Amino acid sequence: MKVNSTKHSLVDSIRQLTREKWALGATVLTGKLLGLLVVLVAMVTLPGLLGTSAHAAAAAPPKPTDLETSMMNSINTAWTLVAAFLVFGMQAGFVMLEAGFARKRETVNVLMECMFDTCLCGILFYAIGYAFMFGWGNGFIGWHGDPAAKVAGSWFFLQNIPATYATTGIPVIAHWIFQYAFADTCSTIVSGAMIGRTSFRGDILYSIGITGFIYPIIGHWAWGPDGFLALMGSAGNFLPTLGQGFRDFAGSTVVHTIGGVASLAGAIVLGPRLGRIFARDDKEKGGMPAGHNMLMAAVGTFILWFGWYGFNPGSSLSAMDAQGIGRIATNTTLAACAGGMTAMVAALWWGTTKGKFDLGFTLNGTLAGLVAITCPCYWVSPLGAMILGGVAGLVTYGGMYLLEWFRIDDPVGAVSVHGFAGIWGTLSLGLFASGEYGATGPYGADNSAPVKGLFYGGDASVLKAQAIGTFTIAIAVFIVTYVMMFVINKLPHPWKLRVEEHGELGVGGLDVFDHGIEVYPPQDDDITLTGLFEKSGTVSV
């Protein structure tokens, strides 16, 4: 009853309002709205008419203060370190992927090689690798600080380094840890194609060559501050009339193609595993031996995919470029999805796996999409990323059959996934660059000079620069690595690259021969239920 009386009193009060009071209220409300409109018009038009500082600020953002710059550099450094940790976590993915694709008898050897390569890479990249790759020097190798800043002394053992690297605002010591994770990735790729027949001492020797010299020196050509491919197309440098430098945002060529092509050289020098039957020799029994634990391989692939979110977005070295890192992460995802799908469909429609949904090809197709998008991830649209990732899945599928035809034994598909897909991804920038994006930076994007590929109305100059860069690096890596592997393979045992025959075929295989253990050793306290429920003729009381 109380509620009803309240409702009636409100209605009665409204009814008692006279026409004059309604008119007065409407007049007051109209006046307030007109006043608000006048204020808004003044806020919009007066700054433009009078040329005030507010209008100037909209046209040209003020230069960040020292405090703002320091804060942005700190945020960018934290972003880079988190990305470095993600990339380093990819080592767990590589270990699981390679061990899963390997045979049981060579699993411990895979685990030991990956662990050793990670430790060795840290020491070598600290001692000489970082200076070779990111120091100033000449177009082919670096070793010291920026001559323009009149910095004396070499960067070996991280000596004489400045506070920050170039114009990034990132401390050199933080840039080192990020790039170390990349170098470690490259060295790990190589071991995958050489599983099952490489002596561990031979692995030590070739790892020193790749991690300490081949990767950082050749990587300097594309990523060094004065590398001849990085400066290509500019006045006074390599091919000045081209007008384009070589671009590789996160390493389709610098990391993956170097690793994949080095894998190819090593696999050729080693020859196939003993007892390996190729499909061209026996269609029934030939083909890649099944991995001993595909569950482990699948989980490793997901870990690698997750780590790629540090690999690609982290290469911006800038959290201030929000649109850029968001676009990179999206492109990375779509390329991986498309690569896995096309490889799965290709295996379903063609080849020895026709009619089957093959897990191995699907995993490698997904990784191929990730490898391919690593170079163009900043400059392409999501649609372009999906298309080029799908092509990468097909490239890897065909590449694995091509190696099978040439009787090259690559147990995990490292050559196809990292080598072939890496070259394709680098070339794809010249086709799929959307013409919207230019360069990232410590304070945001600079799209004043966007990169445009052939499919978006650009000319062939970007594609030419990409082809020159990726094939120059691929050919150089193959020649140098082949010579190194050939020499190591001529050394006497136990330092020879190829393990002794009895070490490969003996009981327990390479695991027992080089490391003394098996991945799943029998335990003395294993419990057996045999005979537990059998009836006995005697009964104890």
Side-chain angles (χ1 to χ4, degrees):
M1 296 300 295
K2 185 175 182 181
V3 174
N4 291 336
S5 63
T6 303
K7 182 187 298 184
H8 287 306
S9 63
L10 289 173
V11 173
D12 293 340
S13 298
I14 294 173
R15 288 175 177 174
Q16 290 173 4
L17 290 174
T18 64
R19 180 177 296 178
E20 290 77 8
K21 291 182 178 179
W22 278 106
L24 177 62
T27 302
V28 172
L29 178 61
T30 302
K32 290 181 177 293
L33 291 175
L34 289 174
L36 179 60
L37 181 61
V38 170
V39 171
L40 290 174
V41 171
M43 292 174 62
V44 172
T45 59
L46 286 178
L49 294 174
L50 300 177
T52 61
S53 59
H55 183 267
K63 184 180 179 181
T65 65
D66 291 342
L67 178 60
E68 291 170 336
T69 299
S70 177
M71 292 177 64
M72 285 189 284
N73 288 344
S74 296
I75 293 172
N76 291 341
T77 300
W79 162 254
T80 302
L81 288 174
V82 170
F85 305 152
L86 283 171
V87 177
F88 183 81
M90 292 172 71
Q91 293 305 312
F94 275 118
V95 165
M96 297 182 73
L97 178 75
E98 294 183 9
F101 272 108
R103 297 173 298 185
K104 178 182 175 182
R105 57 200 280 173
E106 54 210 25
T107 307
V108 174
N109 183 254
V110 170
L111 304 179
M112 186 62 188
E113 282 184 348
C114 290
M115 190 68 202
F116 170 79
D117 286 349
T118 298
C119 297
L120 177 69
C121 180
I123 295 172
L124 290 178
F125 206 65
Y126 157 73
I128 57 176
Y130 186 81
F132 283 156
M133 192 165 187
F134 293 100
W136 278 258
N138 55 47
F140 294 93
I141 188 171
W143 67 88
H144 60 75
D146 184 0
K150 298 180 180 180
V151 179
S154 73
W155 281 9
F156 298 131
F157 298 95
L158 294 182
Q159 300 298 306
N160 307 306
I161 57 175
T164 59
Y165 183 74
T167 60
T168 63
I170 304 294
V172 170
I173 204 71
H175 188 249
W176 177 87
I177 192 71
F178 183 68
Q179 293 299 335
Y180 154 65
F182 275 54
D184 192 20
T185 297
C186 181
S187 65
T188 305
I189 291 170
V190 181
S191 64
M194 301 170 66
I195 288 174
R197 68 272 204 210
T198 308
S199 72
F200 188 72
R201 290 174 178 82
D203 175 78
I204 293 174
L205 296 180
Y206 85 70
S207 294
I208 292 173
I210 290 174
T211 304
F213 299 94
I214 294 174
Y215 171 74
I217 293 175
I218 294 181
H220 176 84
W221 301 356
W223 280 358
D226 50 5
F228 79 94
L229 291 175
L231 299 179
M232 180 174 63
S234 58
N237 293 297
F238 183 54
L239 296 178
T241 58
L242 184 60
Q244 296 284 347
F246 176 67
R247 295 177 175 88
D248 189 0
F249 191 84
S252 287
T253 287
V254 174
V255 177
H256 296 284
T257 298
I258 288 179
V261 171
S263 300
L264 177 62
I268 291 175
V269 171
L270 278 172
R273 289 169 288 181
L274 297 176
R276 171 79 155 86
I277 303 174
F278 293 93
R280 64 178 296 185
D281 300 318
D282 190 329
K283 293 183 179 180
E284 296 296 328
K285 299 180 181 180
M288 185 71 69
H292 92 282
N293 192 330
M294 294 306 290
L295 170 62
M296 187 183 297
V299 173
T301 300
F302 277 111
I303 294 175
L304 287 170
W305 189 342
F306 179 65
W308 237 284
Y309 292 121
F311 211 103
N312 288 358
S315 293
S316 66
L317 303 179
S318 173
M320 298 296 105
D321 188 0
Q323 290 291 331
I325 58 179
R327 182 174 64 256
I328 294 170
T330 298
N331 289 343
T332 300
T333 303
L334 291 174
C337 295
M341 292 293 286
T342 56
M344 180 193 74
V345 171
L348 179 67
W349 286 354
W350 302 303
T352 57
T353 57
K354 184 176 181 179
K356 304 295 182 182
F357 296 94
D358 187 87
L359 176 61
F361 278 120
T362 305
L363 296 179
N364 277 333
T366 302
L367 294 173
L370 291 166
V371 169
I373 194 61
T374 299
C375 166
C377 57
Y378 189 82
W379 296 289
V380 301
S381 68
L383 176 60
M386 191 162 56
I387 295 173
L388 71 89
V391 173
L394 298 177
V395 167
T396 291
Y397 177 83
M400 294 179 71
Y401 274 104
L402 182 66
L403 293 181
E404 184 79 11
W405 175 259
F406 283 107
R407 298 188 180 94
I408 298 173
D409 189 10
D410 179 5
V412 303
V415 176
S416 300
V417 170
H418 300 279
F420 298 160
I423 291 173
W424 157 246
T426 304
L427 295 175
S428 72
L429 175 65
L431 303 174
F432 291 95
S434 65
E436 300 175 84
Y437 315 113
T440 188
Y443 310 125
D446 178 6
N447 296 323
S448 59
V451 183
K452 184 179 293 187
L454 277 174
F455 293 166
Y456 289 80
D459 59 25
S461 60
V462 176
L463 181 60
K464 290 178 182 178
Q466 296 303 102
I468 291 170
T470 192
F471 287 118
T472 297
I473 287 176
I475 293 170
V477 169
F478 182 81
I479 293 173
V480 174
T481 306
Y482 185 90
V483 171
M484 178 188 70
M485 297 288 190
F486 183 84
V487 171
I488 297 174
N489 203 41
K490 292 299 181 181
L491 297 177
H493 291 296
W495 292 99
K496 185 178 180 179
L497 186 66
R498 177 102 193 201
V499 72
E500 296 97 315
E501 182 176 340
H502 64 275
E504 185 176 345
L505 296 179
V507 178
L510 201 55
D511 288 355
V512 172
F513 179 78
D514 255 343
H515 309 287
I517 60 172
E518 298 179 74
V519 68
Y520 309 114
Q523 302 295 322
D524 294 336
D525 57 351
D526 282 347
I527 298 175
T528 178
L529 300 181
T530 303
L532 182 63
F533 299 105
E534 294 181 0
K535 293 182 179 180
S536 174
T538 58
V539 179
S540 58
V541 179

